[in-house]
Amino acid sequence: MKQDKIYLVVATDNFYAILLAALLKSIEENHHTPEHIELYIIDDGVSPANKQRIEAQSDRSKTTLHWFKSNEVVPADVKMPLDSSSFPLTSYMRLFSPYMMPPEAEKLIYLDVDMIAQEDISKLWQVSLDGHIFAAVRDIAEIVSCPWGGVPNWKELGMDPDTGYFNAGLMIMDTKRWKEERIGEQVIQIIHDNIKHVNLVDQYGLNIVLANRWLELDRRWNVFAVKNVPDPFIIHYLDIKPIFKSYNSTPAYQEIFYKYLRLTAWKNHKPVSDYRRLARKAYNKTKKKILSFFKR
């Protein structure tokens, strides 16, 4: 009898290849059911050396890795938005992850690379979408009218202020409906149309296009590291990542991250100075400004 497969998608650049290594190891260490994991990696410039490191650590009895260059994922006719944030353009890649899937994949799980799994991913895979186009966890901002998060121009868009607001770092997607309704293209367009209001890149657009069309998951599937939840299924290091000395979220969650990182080629890594983090943010903003200039 053919074993079922679990389809996962992550996106990373070379800077965060270290996070992918820890995430992959945490998924494999906690996966104990027969399904084989098909991990699709959107590669936004991962070096050959880091790619080889990640391949070497992978448990091939549990996981098969599929690498896709970022320019292979986004449809040729899609013009990527150039917002003013420091988030990398890699953030938009998840919108087109269903296009990477083989025909037999009816759904996929998208995970941000800055996560660690503490529960068997098969339990998330078995969640029924119950007719919804996707499932996610409510964000810290809770609702679209949240003054420090949410959708800044919710009123102008005619949205109910109490509309639930989800975090796009973890999503279970219905791949067929996502492609049929061209959700990725819709989100990109809404961002272009409202570029001055865009705060959290594609999460902004997703919460407009798919308002009230999502299944809310148990919050333990996307626990934000700034909180301290006793039994997190997946930890999400939303703010300063645990690889930095300035990490300021729950200390126990940093220890959990390093528990898995020590099982990888980065096992001797110690938290580094904030210089690299700040330099990366500056690089991302500068890259967008340069691209914006040449597209005028």
Side-chain angles (χ1 to χ4, degrees):
M1 181 178 176
K2 186 178 179 181
Q3 294 180 350
D4 289 337
K5 294 180 178 180
I6 297 174
Y7 294 94
L8 301 181
V9 178
V10 297
T12 187
D13 55 16
N14 193 55
F15 188 86
Y16 279 159
I18 184 174
L19 300 186
L20 173 58
L23 170 60
L24 173 56
K25 188 53 64 178
S26 73
I27 290 170
E28 290 180 338
E29 288 291 303
N30 291 295
H31 180 49
H32 306 299
T33 52
E35 304 95 341
H36 190 77
I37 296 171
E38 303 288 337
L39 179 61
Y40 288 73
I41 303 166
I42 302 173
D43 168 10
D44 193 18
V46 178
S47 71
N50 281 341
K51 200 170 175 179
Q52 187 174 17
R53 284 174 161 186
I54 292 166
E55 288 277 359
Q57 78 167 51
S58 176
D59 181 346
R60 298 190 181 187
S61 68
K62 290 185 176 183
T63 311
T64 299
L65 306 185
H66 306 270
W67 297 83
F68 282 77
K69 291 292 185 184
S70 55
N71 60 6
E72 299 174 323
V73 177
V74 181
D77 60 341
V78 172
K79 180 183 176 183
M80 298 300 283
L82 298 171
D83 61 85
S84 59
S85 75
S86 61
F87 289 95
L89 289 171
T90 315
S91 302
Y92 289 103
M93 297 296 114
R94 71 184 128 206
L95 294 174
F96 303 100
S97 50
Y99 293 91
M100 303 164 61
M101 296 294 101
E104 63 271 20
E106 297 180 356
K107 66 179 179 180
L108 67 85
I109 297 173
Y110 172 85
L111 297 171
D112 270 356
V113 75
D114 58 345
M115 288 179 155
I116 287 292
Q118 287 277 88
E119 181 58 274
D120 195 324
I121 201 69
S122 65
K123 293 183 179 180
L124 182 60
W125 182 249
Q126 296 303 326
V127 171
S128 171
L129 289 177
D130 196 26
H132 296 82
I133 195 166
F134 79 109
V137 170
R138 193 173 289 253
D139 190 77
I140 298 176
E142 297 278 346
I143 54 177
V144 298
S145 59
C146 175
W148 49 263
V151 176
N153 59 326
W154 61 270
K155 191 177 294 184
E156 292 89 335
L157 292 168
M159 301 180 77
D160 185 315
D162 294 323
T163 300
Y165 181 81
F166 60 87
N167 182 274
L170 180 148
M171 294 187 289
I172 310 173
M173 301 177 178
D174 180 322
T175 56
K176 182 180 178 182
R177 290 182 62 192
W178 195 277
K179 289 185 290 186
E180 285 178 348
E181 298 188 31
R182 297 174 62 85
I183 299 300
E185 290 86 341
Q186 286 190 56
V187 170
I188 292 295
Q189 188 58 55
I190 207 76
I191 291 172
H192 279 304
D193 293 344
N194 297 274
I195 196 70
K196 66 180 181 180
H197 299 290
V198 176
N199 49 4
L200 297 173
V201 287
D202 62 317
Q203 183 168 296
Y204 165 87
L206 281 164
N207 271 281
I208 296 170
V209 172
L210 295 171
N212 300 315
R213 299 185 63 195
W214 54 288
L215 174 70
E216 187 166 355
L217 295 170
D218 185 323
R219 295 194 185 214
R220 288 175 293 176
W221 282 116
N222 190 353
V223 171
F224 312 121
V226 294
K227 296 188 174 183
N228 188 359
V229 177
D231 184 27
F233 297 161
I234 291 179
I235 301 167
H236 191 178
Y237 301 91
L238 273 174
D239 194 19
I240 299 173
K241 312 310 175 193
I243 58 174
F244 297 111
K245 291 180 179 178
S246 57
Y247 172 83
N248 59 1
S249 297
T250 305
Y253 292 166
Q254 186 178 36
E255 293 171 14
I256 289 172
F257 172 84
Y258 274 94
K259 179 182 80 170
Y260 292 108
L261 191 66
R262 284 193 290 270
L263 301 176
T264 76
W266 283 265
K267 61 185 178 183
N268 295 319
H269 182 274
K270 298 290 190 295
V272 297
S273 165
D274 243 23
Y275 168 76
R276 291 183 64 196
R277 179 178 72 87
L278 297 174
R280 181 175 184 266
K281 282 181 174 288
Y283 168 79
N284 289 335
K285 294 191 80 167
T286 301
K287 180 180 178 180
K288 288 179 182 179
K289 286 180 180 178
I290 292 172
L291 289 172
S292 180
F293 175 81
F294 283 106
K295 285 190 176 183
R296 288 176 184 171

